[in-house]
Amino acid sequence: MKQSSTAPKLSREGLTLPKTDFSLRSWQLPAVLAFICCIIISVYQYYSPGYSDLLMTAVIFPVSVAVFALTLYTRPYIKYAEVKVLGAFFLWMILVIFLNDWRLEKAFSNTWFYCTCITMFLCFTLPYAFDKETLKKALSILAVAMLACATLLSAAGLIIVFGGITIPESVSEVARVGIYVDGRLWLVSHPNTIAPICGSAILLTGYLLTRTKKWFVRILLILSALVCYCAMALTDSRTGFMSTALGLALEFFLLFNLSFAKIKRAGGRVLLALAAAALCVGVFIVGMSAVRSVYDHTAGTTSAQSELISDRGLEEADSFNGRTAIWAGTLKGLKENPSILLTGTTPIIAGKLMGPYFPKNSPIGNFHNSYVASLVSFGIPGVLILIAFYVMLAVSSARLSFAKLLDKDSLGTRLIPAILLFAVAESMMEVFLFVEFSLNNVWIWFMFAAGFVFRMQKSE
């Protein structure tokens, strides 16, 4: 006589519930914790590259694969058009690896491959694992984690700079910390890396402010954003300034449009909101120079670090600090190697192949543009797939942000496309999206925000 088993059976119904939560028994909780680890890595990875890579490859990568598998099993994930397009890009990426080097172990020994898998399997997929209300709570948790990490980094930089702290010679010989000889703030990582960390934290503060009505919490959030703002000003990263300003322009417009809701004529309300947003963005940009001036007149003349903060003008704006020469050299390299346009090269060897065509003294293998780097890495087929994804994302973002301009309850949700604007703009001058070898904050937040935008327009 057979004995009936009392062990619980694992089923689709047992893994998905009408309402998701963060209980210890939910599989969504480890996914959120893994994303927080991604945030920590994106901010502090340069302080311990070996441990960061180990955590990424040995822990976060397996978790991201599990999150993808569970989402695929418990949600109608694969039926969505944007998922199919991103899946097509991933398959093309794998094919490009085989076309350029049949030894797949080279990919598995390269951090770029792990970064790509994590951003697709975890960062983009995570929003689909929640119902809409829980997704907003999850975003709040992740935004707080990002703001906390960025504030801690920024505060350390400001203390070093304005406190006149002299970095030990043993440290300064290995890494640049404080105001370097170029007059910009270095915190081991490059100023152009610090600025996006601060910028994304500032933009996420806007979302957090819509999620709380407690004045003490709001004041704390604003103070944290100001700390990040001051640190970003000292980096003198013009790309960081303008990218953040673009995101803030959208956030301010949506906020002021709601504030002027009593104006009956939609056209007048929109124009007034645009003018108010432009004014706030102008103050934001001018304030950057003011922060640098404060340093020049105080800490700059009294501290052991007597270097003045840089204030770069627009004399090299037409060439984007020599970036156009790099892009022109890349196009020349593609003309001489037209097969790359079909098969790509993978990011693993893209910089090495195009390096000889770069101008002298330019950074080795750094295209300073995610989209140019994507063309070399994945060829025209890969870029076309990415363009399709960007177009779908742009349409969805426009619908999300502007469909209900006077809906106060959805304001926080409608602010999220500002993160996408910020990420796209940053990636026009730096290599951040799809081809980078580090798990940078621009990439992870772009993918999460993209998933968020798509998910919020799906039925439950």
Side-chain angles (χ1 to χ4, degrees):
M1 189 174 179
K2 293 184 178 179
Q3 293 182 351
S4 61
S5 175
T6 59
K9 293 181 179 180
L10 186 65
S11 64
R12 180 188 175 98
E13 291 73 18
L15 288 173
T16 181
L17 298 170
K19 294 291 182 180
T20 49
D21 56 32
F22 294 115
S23 67
L24 294 176
R25 298 181 63 183
S26 69
W27 61 268
Q28 288 89 352
L29 179 59
V32 171
L33 294 177
F35 195 100
I36 292 176
C37 288
C38 290
I39 293 172
I40 295 172
I41 288 176
S42 70
V43 176
Y44 298 112
Q45 61 187 321
Y46 299 100
Y47 294 87
S48 184
Y51 285 111
S52 295
D53 290 346
L54 180 62
L55 177 61
M56 181 177 69
T57 57
V59 178
I60 301 178
F61 173 69
V63 172
S64 67
V65 174
V67 170
F68 175 74
L70 286 167
T71 306
L72 202 63
Y73 183 63
T74 60
R75 305 288 190 270
Y77 183 58
I78 199 67
K79 78 173 186 179
Y80 300 130
E82 68 274 9
V83 176
K84 293 179 180 178
V85 171
L86 202 57
F89 174 75
F90 184 79
L91 292 177
W92 174 253
M93 183 187 78
I94 297 298
L95 181 59
V96 167
I97 292 175
F98 279 101
L99 288 173
N100 287 276
D101 194 338
W102 62 270
R103 292 175 296 174
L104 196 59
E105 67 267 17
K106 277 197 173 181
F108 282 103
S109 63
N110 193 279
T111 53
W112 158 74
F113 181 80
Y114 290 97
C115 291
T116 305
C117 292
I118 290 170
T119 54
M120 288 188 180
F121 295 163
L122 175 63
C123 302
F124 181 78
T125 303
L126 186 58
Y128 294 85
F130 297 99
D131 62 82
K132 294 181 180 180
E133 285 305 312
T134 312
L135 176 56
K136 295 176 185 178
K137 296 177 183 178
L139 176 54
S140 296
I141 293 172
L142 298 176
V144 168
M146 181 67 214
L147 183 58
C149 289
T151 302
L152 182 60
L153 179 72
S154 300
L158 294 178
I159 291 172
I160 291 172
V161 170
F162 286 97
I165 298 175
T166 303
I167 304 302
E169 188 175 342
S170 58
V171 175
S172 60
E173 287 181 353
V174 178
R176 302 173 182 177
V177 179
I179 303 301
Y180 195 56
V181 292
D182 58 358
R184 305 174 67 189
L185 176 62
W186 288 71
L187 293 174
V188 178
S189 51
H190 192 279
N192 290 344
T193 301
I194 301 171
I197 293 172
C198 299
S200 57
I202 292 170
L203 292 173
L204 287 167
T205 302
Y207 175 80
L208 291 173
L209 289 172
T210 67
R211 297 288 297 175
T212 181
K213 294 182 179 180
K214 296 180 180 180
W215 283 105
F216 173 76
V217 177
R218 287 187 171 183
I219 292 173
L220 188 62
L221 291 173
I222 292 172
L223 289 176
S224 296
L226 284 174
V227 171
C228 294
Y229 176 80
C230 292
M232 183 166 67
L234 299 183
T235 65
D236 200 21
S237 173
R238 289 173 294 189
T239 300
F241 300 166
M242 298 309 299
S243 300
T244 307
L246 275 176
L248 285 175
L250 177 58
E251 291 192 348
F252 283 133
F253 168 75
L254 295 174
L255 175 61
F256 284 120
N257 188 83
L258 193 59
S259 301
F260 302 146
K262 293 182 179 180
I263 299 177
K264 295 182 179 180
R265 291 187 177 182
R269 185 184 68 249
V270 168
L271 288 176
L272 190 58
L274 285 172
L279 178 62
C280 289
V281 169
V283 172
F284 171 84
I285 294 176
V286 171
M288 294 288 178
S289 296
V291 173
R292 295 195 296 275
S293 297
V294 169
Y295 174 82
D296 287 342
H297 288 91
T298 56
T301 57
T302 60
S303 69
Q305 299 173 313
S306 58
E307 301 291 342
L308 295 180
I309 290 291
S310 69
D311 192 5
R312 297 179 294 171
L314 300 177
E315 56 274 1
E316 293 185 344
D318 58 337
S319 66
F320 300 112
N321 273 28
R323 285 171 171 80
T324 53
I326 295 176
W327 305 337
T330 301
L331 292 178
K332 180 180 178 181
L334 290 174
K335 288 181 181 179
E336 295 185 10
N337 302 275
S339 62
I340 292 177
L341 294 174
L342 178 62
T343 62
T345 62
T346 74
I348 301 173
I349 58 174
K352 181 179 179 180
L353 290 179
M354 292 292 112
Y357 301 97
F358 284 10
K360 292 182 178 179
N361 301 322
S362 61
I364 299 175
N366 190 343
F367 292 93
H368 280 290
N369 187 302
S370 294
Y371 314 109
V372 172
S374 295
L375 178 61
V376 178
S377 299
F378 308 116
I380 291 178
V383 169
L384 290 177
I385 297 174
L386 286 178
I387 289 175
F389 180 77
Y390 283 122
V391 170
M392 295 173 65
L393 183 56
V395 172
S396 294
S397 297
R399 288 175 179 171
L400 182 66
S401 290
F402 305 125
K404 299 179 180 179
L405 282 175
L406 299 180
D407 185 7
K408 183 178 181 180
D409 294 334
S410 66
L411 177 61
T413 299
R414 293 187 289 112
L415 294 179
I416 299 306
I419 300 293
L420 300 175
L421 265 179
F422 162 78
V424 169
E426 274 285 353
S427 298
M428 292 179 68
M429 297 295 160
E430 299 294 341
V431 176
F432 283 128
L433 299 179
F434 297 104
V435 290
E436 179 59 291
F437 293 81
S438 65
L439 203 58
N440 62 84
N441 72 296
V442 174
W443 198 357
I444 65 176
W445 279 110
F446 172 81
M447 296 301 283
F448 183 88
F452 184 96
V453 167
F454 287 124
R455 173 66 185 96
M456 292 305 294
Q457 296 180 75
K458 310 295 184 186
S459 59
E460 293 287 8

